[in-house]
Amino acid sequence: MTDEQWQELAEVEAVLDIVKFYTTAVQYERRPMAALGHPLRSRLLKQLRADAIPVVDLNNVTASSNVPRVHKPVATWSNLGKKCLRRAILEAERRFCGNDALEEGTEDNNNLNHGQPHLMDLQACAMMLDPRTVILTRTLTLNVVPVSLCTV
């Protein structure tokens, strides 16, 4: 492989590395996930939309299982890496933000809506009651969810 192809591969792997955590978290979680859904989706989109993303540092890779990473500005990514990233963002927006575009478009004219994940009332109530997210939800859902929805 050429150096350019290795860089493209590292960029695609960086996108997959971000998505990997969120796809496996649900599979191995032992407790109900209702309260964690919205924070995880928001974090996924934030990481995918970042200006710089951790990419494998190909110059410092060793036999160690810990892969060294360096933050690489998305603006400097290859066309293939940018396209992979746009597709990942579009797919997340389709699932979580109501984007109904069929294609990711181009870098200059994309079909991304840059929206936030939908927060349903029951998710907000679960977030406020779950000890894992109660601190987070004080800032996210204050004055968003009617108290009557959370009472039994």
Side-chain angles (χ1 to χ4, degrees):
M1 288 177 51
T2 66
D3 288 345
E4 182 179 310
Q5 290 171 326
W6 278 108
Q7 287 298 325
E8 290 174 341
L9 181 64
E11 293 163 0
V12 170
E13 187 276 339
V15 174
L16 294 175
D17 187 59
I18 292 171
V19 175
K20 170 189 73 171
F21 171 79
Y22 301 97
T23 56
T24 57
V26 176
Q27 294 173 5
Y28 297 108
E29 178 63 34
R30 301 266 186 251
R31 298 188 176 152
M33 293 289 290
L36 297 177
H38 184 73
L40 288 176
R41 291 179 194 119
S42 297
R43 186 173 172 211
L44 168 66
L45 283 164
K46 182 178 180 179
Q47 287 183 310
L48 288 173
R49 293 171 177 162
D51 293 332
I53 294 178
V55 175
V56 173
D57 185 359
L58 296 172
N59 296 327
N60 294 316
V61 173
T62 63
S64 170
S65 61
N66 294 331
V67 179
R69 295 187 179 272
V70 60
H71 279 77
K72 183 175 180 183
V74 175
T76 65
W77 282 27
S78 66
N79 289 335
L80 177 67
K82 288 177 185 177
K83 184 169 189 153
C84 178
L85 182 60
R86 281 194 311 272
R87 284 186 177 180
I89 294 170
L90 177 62
E91 204 50 46
E93 286 184 0
R94 279 186 195 149
R95 291 186 60 128
F96 310 133
C97 305
N99 188 337
D100 59 359
L102 298 177
E103 296 180 8
E104 82 279 358
T106 63
E107 187 175 352
D108 298 324
N109 183 20
N110 62 50
N111 292 326
L112 306 178
N113 68 10
H114 305 289
Q116 292 302 311
H118 300 298
L119 177 62
M120 293 182 280
D121 292 338
L122 291 177
Q123 288 174 324
C125 289
M127 287 170 59
M128 289 191 291
L129 297 172
D130 192 318
R132 297 173 293 177
T133 57
V134 73
I135 294 171
L136 173 69
T137 56
R138 286 186 186 139
T139 58
L140 284 179
T141 59
L142 195 58
N143 298 326
V144 172
V145 180
V147 175
S148 61
L149 289 175
C150 299
T151 57
V152 179

